[in-house]
Amino acid sequence: MKKNLGAIFCTALLTGCASQSIHTEFVAVEQAGFQSYYSSGWIVQGHREGSDYLVELAVRDGKQPWETVNAILYVENRSEDPVTVGINDITLHQDDRQVALKSYNELEQQYIGQAQSRRTAVALGALAQSLNASQPTTTSSYRSGTAYGPGGAVNYSGTSTTYSRDPAASAAAQAQIQSGAQSGIANIRSDLQQDLNSLEGYIQKTTVFPGQTFIGRFQSEMTVFDQRPESFYRFAVEVGEESYEFTFVEKADIENNQRKLF
């Protein structure tokens, strides 16, 4: 048994450690009646003429494995009737798995919830620091000696503790704690406002009247990566009574590198 383990150990040393590098890219799948092109880092796919609506879908180029999909929907209403467009009119499948799309309200509540959690952490941290700063200062000293009396000599030793308060130092510490907490909360408020501002242009239910256009961006939940060389992303967009499908393929270039230790 020891011999076998030794052989395995030597083999592992000679083989070394394995590492993997993955590079992925999005490519639009050509379909009859559709055209594809690139625009400023986006891969755009749209159908040709011959419909009441001009519908295009763009996905962000350069997506990494497991990342969310960022996309933009463009709709031009060429019909004589208004049409409503929203996130619920879009579905996404990655191969045989449906990937949920995030709504405006979900992202808004996510940002607000994250800010509230951060505010709670700052408040609890300030409370703990405040309680600690309000505690009296303790000083311990060790004493030993010999006492003499009618009964003879007695040795003694022990530790004595004294408590003291410095109101000025405590007040200064409390002020610094409160200042730090207020600064932290101000940063959280600023970050939240930036997150909410980033939702500008995110797709929300909108009525598109004849002759008008609509454009809105959206993102998916996390995708999966299971070492496939190709993974297909299929979008289905319902506009009025018509359905439009867009297909993109995520091509993966996987390199397995073996590094020998000896």
Side-chain angles (χ1 to χ4, degrees):
M1 184 65 179
K2 290 183 178 179
K3 181 178 180 180
N4 291 339
L5 288 176
I8 293 173
F9 181 69
C10 290
T11 302
L13 287 177
L14 293 174
T15 302
C17 301
S19 62
Q20 188 178 73
S21 59
I22 303 171
H23 173 71
T24 59
E25 65 173 344
F26 260 146
V27 178
V29 176
E30 297 297 334
Q31 304 177 74
F34 281 74
Q35 60 182 353
S36 305
Y37 59 92
Y38 290 84
S39 177
S40 302
W42 294 85
I43 308 171
V44 186
Q45 189 177 80
H47 71 86
R48 295 187 175 91
E49 303 294 333
S51 171
D52 286 338
Y53 312 101
L54 173 60
V55 182
E56 293 185 339
L57 187 74
V59 296
R60 189 68 179 173
D61 193 13
K63 170 187 169 297
Q64 298 299 316
W66 302 285
E67 278 187 342
T68 61
V69 178
N70 292 283
I72 295 176
L73 176 66
Y74 173 86
V75 176
E76 180 181 337
N77 187 357
R78 296 177 174 179
S79 71
E80 297 179 354
D81 300 308
V83 65
T84 301
V85 180
I87 192 69
N88 292 331
D89 299 313
I90 309 171
T91 56
L92 168 62
H93 282 83
Q94 180 189 5
D95 299 319
D96 55 356
R97 167 182 172 269
Q98 183 169 354
V99 182
L101 304 178
K102 295 183 178 181
S103 69
Y104 180 95
N105 291 336
E106 287 174 337
L107 284 174
E108 183 181 49
Q109 292 305 312
Q110 173 185 321
Y111 294 146
I112 293 174
Q114 290 173 348
Q116 290 175 339
S117 297
R118 291 176 60 190
R119 278 196 293 262
T120 300
V122 169
L124 291 177
L127 177 61
Q129 293 177 13
S130 179
L131 291 175
N132 185 61
S134 64
Q135 298 299 315
T137 301
T138 59
T139 303
S140 299
S141 59
Y142 177 80
R143 296 181 64 185
S144 63
T146 304
Y148 298 92
V154 177
N155 295 325
Y156 67 90
S157 63
T159 302
S160 62
T161 303
T162 58
Y163 299 89
S164 61
R165 293 180 180 273
D166 187 341
S170 178
Q174 295 289 353
Q176 185 175 4
I177 293 170
Q178 291 301 318
S179 176
Q182 291 175 3
S183 177
I185 291 175
N187 290 335
I188 294 170
R189 188 181 298 112
S190 176
D191 291 343
L192 174 59
Q193 189 59 53
Q194 290 182 14
D195 288 336
L196 295 179
N197 291 342
S198 71
L199 290 177
E200 183 177 354
Y202 200 88
I203 188 169
Q204 298 186 71
K205 184 176 289 186
T206 303
T207 298
V208 186
F209 292 93
Q212 292 185 346
T213 60
F214 167 83
I215 184 169
R217 60 183 180 83
F218 62 93
Q219 71 179 70
S220 72
E221 298 285 355
M222 297 293 290
T223 58
V224 298
F225 182 74
D226 53 7
Q227 304 292 317
R228 296 187 187 187
E230 292 185 337
S231 185
F232 290 87
Y233 292 75
R234 296 179 175 85
F235 294 84
V237 181
E238 304 293 332
V239 181
E241 300 297 326
E242 300 186 23
S243 179
Y244 302 86
E245 293 187 356
F246 305 88
T247 304
F248 301 86
V249 58
E250 182 181 37
K251 295 185 177 182
D253 181 14
I254 306 172
E255 294 184 2
N256 294 310
N257 303 312
Q258 200 75 22
R259 181 169 61 87
K260 293 185 178 181
L261 298 180
F262 297 97

